[in-house]
Amino acid sequence: MSKFLITGVNGFVGFHLARYLKNNGHVVLGTARQTHADIMVAKYLDNYYQADLVHSWPETDEVDGVVHLAGLSAVGNSFLQPQKYINVNSSMITNMGEYFLKKQENPRIIVVSSGSVYDSSVQMPIDEESPLGFISPYAVSKILNENQARYYLNRGLDIIVARPFNHVGPGLHRGFILSNLYDAIKKTGLNQAVEFGNLTTERDYIDVRDIVRAYAMLLEAVELKETVYNIGSGKSFRGEMILKYLKEAMNREDVTYFFNSKMARPSDIKKIRSDSTRLMTELNWRPEISLQQSVRDFVMNEEKI
């Protein structure tokens, strides 16, 4: 049994990770800005620390591992507040790194980056050695985080970088294609068109439950051969497929789609597909949940709320 700390534990991924780790026999600690842990998360936590990681790192119990999820994560919103994304996301890494440099403990730290850091103009699929790109303020902030992680690795911390690709699954927050399309369909009348941005771009969508299994494996591994790991499905789907699966799951086959150019991102890459061979080979991880099932489970969860 190990003791793990999750930052941003009240978030979408934090909930799934806390539940997975607790159900697999670990002691789970969490930290977030809110005064109390979210009611859905609290039952999986052994302790909770309220803290604004932008300003300081909380004094916690000694831990065996940390998964750093906290930060600003909506790519689209980063274009509206570019400097905020850079400041917030980098400050947290600095405070975390400096805290553990001063401690006698040296836990395995997973800095969660993103598959969006890659240059999408290169040949697919993208592996960990593929060139990086700078297509959004969010991606810029994550590349900065990765450089900070390398600095603290050189200072002696046991720190690695995970690059998960597009998250889907039950509980996904607003600001992402699946949740935003769901809301748009709910507001659309019978036999009307849902207005949305570009749905012809292709992304590597992976279920959050597959992602947290990968995080757990990275935490539990006695040794790791690499310092950067992709976490993706290895498949790419157009946004149109998300819409199709949503219409099926919501029983809204009457809905059509109308492209609204004002809702498109300033820079929208055409296609991304990951190569997670490194993780698969070293830890025998495999994605298990299909995109269609992820969408169904998201809708089922939303209908329960």
Side-chain angles (χ1 to χ4, degrees):
M1 180 175 66
S2 298
K3 184 181 293 185
F4 297 128
L5 172 67
I6 304 169
T7 74
V9 74
N10 285 333
F12 166 55
V13 183
F15 162 74
H16 286 280
L17 180 57
R19 181 174 64 178
Y20 184 87
L21 292 175
K22 189 65 176 178
N23 288 344
N24 282 273
H26 298 295
V27 175
V28 185
L29 313 178
T31 182
R33 287 182 305 161
Q34 293 80 5
T35 305
H36 303 287
D38 183 86
I39 189 170
M40 295 298 293
V41 177
K43 58 185 176 182
Y44 301 112
L45 297 181
D46 295 279
N47 209 343
Y48 176 79
Y49 307 91
Q50 189 278 329
D52 184 346
L53 302 183
V54 173
H55 300 295
S56 63
W57 192 266
E59 288 288 339
T60 69
D61 295 345
E62 185 171 336
V63 296
D64 301 294
V66 178
V67 181
H68 179 56
L69 297 169
L72 300 176
S73 60
V75 177
N77 290 341
S78 75
F79 290 99
L80 305 176
Q81 299 176 302
Q83 193 60 46
K84 181 178 180 179
Y85 269 67
I86 292 168
N87 292 347
V88 166
N89 289 346
S90 67
S91 296
M92 293 183 181
I93 301 292
T94 298
N95 289 330
M96 176 176 62
E98 294 300 314
Y99 174 83
F100 284 109
L101 281 180
K102 295 174 184 176
K103 304 289 284 187
Q104 296 300 313
E105 58 188 296
N106 189 8
R108 168 75 46 75
I109 300 172
I110 300 175
V111 170
V112 176
S113 182
S114 169
S116 68
V117 300
Y118 289 110
D119 181 350
S120 63
S121 66
V122 301
Q123 183 176 354
M124 299 293 154
I126 293 172
D127 65 20
E128 291 86 352
E129 303 303 321
S130 296
L132 301 182
F134 300 84
I135 63 168
S136 70
Y138 171 72
V140 170
S141 76
K142 286 301 182 179
I143 293 170
L144 173 56
N145 289 171
E146 292 191 13
N147 288 333
Q148 290 174 282
R150 182 170 291 277
Y151 163 72
Y152 286 110
L153 176 68
N154 291 338
R155 292 289 305 275
L157 295 188
D158 181 6
I159 189 165
I160 65 166
V161 169
R163 292 174 179 162
F165 284 70
N166 294 63
H167 298 53
V168 288
L172 181 66
H173 293 173
R174 270 49 198 170
F176 301 91
I177 184 171
L178 174 58
S179 50
N180 287 353
L181 264 176
Y182 172 85
D183 288 343
I185 293 172
K186 292 288 283 188
K187 297 175 183 177
T188 302
L190 189 67
N191 296 317
Q192 291 184 344
V194 58
E195 289 192 29
F196 210 76
N198 189 0
L199 294 183
T200 64
T201 57
E202 298 181 41
R203 298 288 182 272
D204 187 320
Y205 297 101
I206 180 165
D207 193 280
V208 62
R209 292 161 291 186
D210 283 329
I211 292 173
V212 300
R213 277 195 304 106
Y215 292 159
M217 288 179 175
L218 290 167
L219 284 172
E220 294 166 345
V222 176
E223 287 186 283
L224 292 171
K225 298 177 182 178
E226 306 289 348
T227 58
V228 179
Y229 292 87
N230 281 349
I231 307 175
S233 70
K235 302 176 182 177
S236 59
F237 294 91
R238 286 190 173 199
E240 294 165 336
M241 190 60 68
I242 297 276
L243 177 60
K244 176 180 184 295
Y245 290 152
L246 272 173
K247 287 165 61 175
E248 292 173 357
M250 298 172 70
N251 293 315
R252 288 299 309 272
E253 297 289 354
D254 61 286
V255 171
T256 54
Y257 159 63
F258 174 76
F259 172 61
N260 185 337
S261 60
K262 295 180 180 180
M263 300 176 70
R265 291 176 181 170
S267 58
D268 220 348
I269 54 183
K270 293 183 178 180
K271 182 176 181 177
I272 281 187
R273 180 164 61 92
S274 72
D275 181 342
S276 300
T277 301
R278 179 177 290 182
L279 184 63
M280 294 177 178
T281 301
E282 187 172 344
L283 299 181
N284 199 30
W285 171 88
R286 297 288 187 280
E288 297 176 350
I289 302 172
S290 69
L291 176 59
Q292 185 174 24
Q293 187 63 52
S294 295
V295 173
R296 286 175 182 167
D297 291 347
F298 169 82
V299 171
M300 186 178 301
N301 184 74
E302 292 297 310
E303 299 301 327
K304 289 192 305 184
I305 299 175

